[in-house]
Amino acid sequence: MSGPVPSFTPQLLINGLLTPARSGRTFSNVDPYREVEIGQTPDAGVEDVEAAVAAASIAFRELTWSKDHAFRARCIEQLRSAMQRHIEELREILVAEVGCPIFMTRQFQLELPVDELTDWVELAERYAFESELPPHPAMAVANARLLIREPWGVCALITPYNYPIQQLCYKVGPALAAGNTIVLKPSPLTPWTAAFVGKLVAEETDIPAGVFNVITSSEARVSEALVAHPAVEMIHFTGSTDVGKRIMAIAATGVKKVALELGGKSASIALEDADVEAVVRFNVPRTARHSGQGCTNLTRLLLPRAKYEMGLEIAAQVGPQVTWGDPRDPGTHMGPQISRVHQERVLGMIDTARGEGGRIVTGGGIPSGADTGYFVEATVIADVHPDSTIAQEEVFGPVLAVIPYDSEEEAVAIANNSRYGLSGAVWSASDEHALAVAKRIRTGTMDVNGATWFARDTPFGGMKQSGLGREWGEAGFEEYLDVRVIGYPLRDPAASQTTSN
């Protein structure tokens, strides 16, 4: 099955104008299933970054954008409506450049985050950007204290390749609703989704020139120039921990606000009384969802030793049942890896696991019959030592490491034995028991017996090297707001009351 990629010429969006890169350079956008170029993309340079940031800075200083909450809400609603009108074009671009199965676009790859832009519309309208703190008895003068939450200014939003539209919506929505101006920089592996949204902003919304800018580039130095630019006040990045560290180091020179959503190595713990067969049947395809290219994927499965071999037998049955193939086929569960380079990296990590004593239960290579596409089989590796590479490093592929344990204390220790702390799951015959164990795992989010944390109003983010700050929900919205306090004489203490602006 196949579908045409919409015919449009991707361009940068700088100061309200759709434009090629100043250098005229372009780079290829490759369909990871068909292994063919779907078109060329503007390859922005540092000079384009300078222009985009300058436009965003002038817009923030000179326009009423940051103060006119109702206008911002209207503009975000216009963007949501435009994306919904063009949802089928976005779907085709998304599947073509990401290789994600089309069923995912009916959910959190596309339709859900676009629809949820309305939540940021509501926050822009109702949020109390100004409020008063009550007088404090220790103050010599009866003081009122005005607490002001205001936008940072120019925000650099850097999005990943695995969920490009979702991450665009979950960054652009709150950043604009809070009153910031933005420079959006998508992954060079999936640039067209952002470029298409930039086209909609320019042609179908009243978002003023300079408020929303889009830069596509193949060069890391361009991202570094964006992060380092003195007029950029905040950086919000989703991607690998190593790149996040680099961004944090560059931002530190300017003492910039940084929010990071980084890697994960999440543990799924089946307790002694859990239904191990059901857990394994869930976990193998869950790890392979979107070809394993998800930071919250449950990539370590901890099984009680008494049920370990039985669990592996089930995994050996389930792995080959994971359907892979054309992402445009509604029956496909697993599409390709994003690129040849990444496919080779995943296969290399599987080889490393073998060399460190891991036993391949199922998968471990390229699927038989994969004549096109950067595929890796749904892979389960047993006899994994908790300190081994495959247990410690994020693979970002459809690879599940299975680790036995002898006691609940050991299971908790293994789960916490990671530099990451993003997500995880606990399974038990008792919800209360599973919840108690989940509270002991040092991660930002956890599932218990299939009940998930995943929702737009969840304050989502990680602990340890899985990130800084939170996104989604009101907590995520407030990441895009700085805080000021002004003390002033309170002539009539009884008049102190919460206000909003």
Side-chain angles (χ1 to χ4, degrees):
M1 299 181 66
S2 64
V5 175
S7 176
F8 92 106
T9 302
Q11 294 180 290
L12 310 180
L13 176 60
I14 299 177
N15 201 26
L17 299 176
L18 297 169
T19 178
R22 280 160 170 73
S23 67
R25 292 193 306 267
T26 61
F27 65 98
S28 296
N29 192 7
V30 176
D31 181 327
Y33 172 67
R34 293 171 171 153
E35 299 185 47
V36 296
E37 179 187 298
I38 62 174
Q40 291 288 305
T41 307
D43 201 358
V46 173
E47 65 276 12
D48 298 297
V49 169
E50 292 286 346
V53 174
S57 182
I58 292 169
F60 184 76
R61 294 195 311 269
E62 298 184 0
L63 301 180
T64 60
W65 176 257
S66 65
K67 303 297 183 185
D68 193 338
H69 311 316
F71 178 60
R72 294 202 307 274
R74 179 162 65 86
C75 286
I76 297 168
E77 176 56 35
Q78 288 176 339
L79 178 58
R80 182 181 76 93
S81 296
M83 292 177 73
Q84 288 181 328
R85 283 194 300 274
H86 295 273
I87 202 80
E88 294 308 321
E89 293 158 275
L90 278 166
R91 193 186 321 278
E92 287 295 340
I93 293 172
L94 190 63
V95 173
E97 70 174 359
V98 182
C100 62
I102 198 166
F103 84 87
M104 295 183 71
T105 70
R106 314 288 179 192
Q107 305 167 358
F108 36 80
Q109 269 285 12
L110 178 60
E111 293 185 9
L112 184 62
V114 170
D115 183 62
E116 289 178 339
L117 281 171
T118 191
D119 296 338
W120 308 115
V121 172
E122 294 171 5
L123 267 175
E125 292 176 323
R126 70 170 173 79
Y127 186 80
F129 291 90
E130 293 187 6
S131 59
E132 286 192 2
L133 298 174
H136 195 281
M139 294 176 176
V141 178
N143 279 15
R145 290 170 293 160
L146 180 64
L147 188 151
I148 305 171
R149 294 187 184 272
E150 62 185 22
W152 290 95
V154 180
C155 291
L157 308 180
I158 305 176
T159 54
Y161 68 76
N162 58 336
Y163 290 91
I165 286 290
Q166 182 209 63
Q167 287 297 305
L168 182 153
C169 291
Y170 288 167
K171 285 179 171 51
V172 165
L176 295 181
N180 298 282
T181 58
I182 66 172
V183 179
L184 172 65
K185 166 64 175 63
S187 165
L189 295 170
T190 55
W192 278 23
T193 42
F196 191 84
V197 171
K199 180 176 184 289
L200 297 182
V201 168
E203 297 178 349
E204 301 190 25
T205 79
D206 295 325
I207 296 175
V211 168
F212 193 123
N213 304 273
V214 180
I215 294 290
T216 57
S217 178
S218 66
E219 298 187 69
R221 70 184 183 93
V222 170
S223 295
E224 294 192 358
L226 176 60
V227 170
H229 198 292
V232 171
E233 297 287 347
M234 177 185 177
I235 302 100
H236 205 308
F237 168 77
T238 296
S240 73
T241 292
D242 289 345
V243 175
K245 289 178 180 179
R246 175 65 179 158
I247 287 173
M248 195 172 179
I250 295 170
T253 63
V255 196
K256 300 172 186 282
K257 163 71 174 182
V258 176
L260 304 171
E261 198 274 284
L262 306 176
K265 195 67 187 179
S266 302
S268 183
I269 308 171
L271 297 178
E272 292 281 355
D273 60 352
D275 183 343
V276 166
E277 178 175 350
V279 172
V280 173
R281 289 190 181 279
F282 167 84
N283 222 124
V284 173
R286 172 67 176 81
T287 302
R289 188 180 69 190
H290 195 14
S291 310
Q293 297 170 127
C295 54
T296 60
N297 274 14
L298 304 172
T299 54
R300 291 183 295 160
L301 177 59
L302 278 55
L303 298 180
R305 195 172 297 276
K307 300 178 181 179
Y308 178 65
E309 290 298 336
M310 182 268 284
L312 295 178
E313 290 174 5
I314 300 298
Q317 298 170 18
V318 175
Q321 297 171 4
V322 174
T323 55
W324 59 272
D326 187 342
R328 295 160 183 83
D329 186 332
T332 295
H333 180 81
M334 187 174 72
Q337 302 297 293
I338 190 64
S339 68
R340 175 79 68 196
V341 170
H342 188 59
Q343 178 196 40
E344 291 173 350
R345 177 184 177 275
V346 173
L347 293 171
M349 292 195 73
I350 294 171
D351 286 341
T352 297
R354 284 191 184 99
E356 293 181 351
R359 171 168 42 117
I360 305 300
V361 173
T362 185
I366 297 172
S368 175
D371 298 325
T372 182
Y374 308 128
F375 287 99
V376 175
E377 292 176 296
T379 299
V380 177
I381 305 176
D383 304 343
V384 171
H385 190 280
D387 295 329
S388 66
T389 302
I390 204 70
Q392 290 294 320
E393 297 301 320
E394 186 174 44
V395 180
F396 229 59
V399 181
L400 178 63
V402 187
I403 305 171
Y405 69 86
D406 292 305
S407 69
E408 189 172 294
E409 289 297 321
E410 183 185 15
V412 170
I414 292 171
N416 285 329
N417 176 29
S418 175
R419 64 173 172 147
Y420 300 110
L422 189 56
S423 196
V426 181
W427 309 85
S428 169
S430 164
D431 292 341
E432 293 76 14
H433 185 194
L435 179 59
V437 172
K439 289 179 179 180
R440 300 171 64 189
I441 312 303
R442 295 277 294 166
T443 64
T445 57
M446 288 289 288
D447 288 352
V448 166
N449 284 343
T452 184
W453 53 269
F454 189 94
R456 209 281 307 156
D457 60 349
T458 296
F460 170 63
M463 304 172 74
K464 297 185 281 188
Q465 293 189 32
S466 284
L468 295 172
R470 292 294 179 267
E471 54 184 346
W472 310 359
E474 194 160 306
F477 175 73
E478 290 178 343
E479 293 283 349
Y480 291 94
L481 295 168
D482 203 357
V483 179
R484 297 196 295 136
V485 176
I486 300 173
Y488 62 95
L490 183 63
R491 302 305 180 191
D492 179 8
S496 178
Q497 61 182 355
T498 299
T499 63
S500 64
N501 179 26

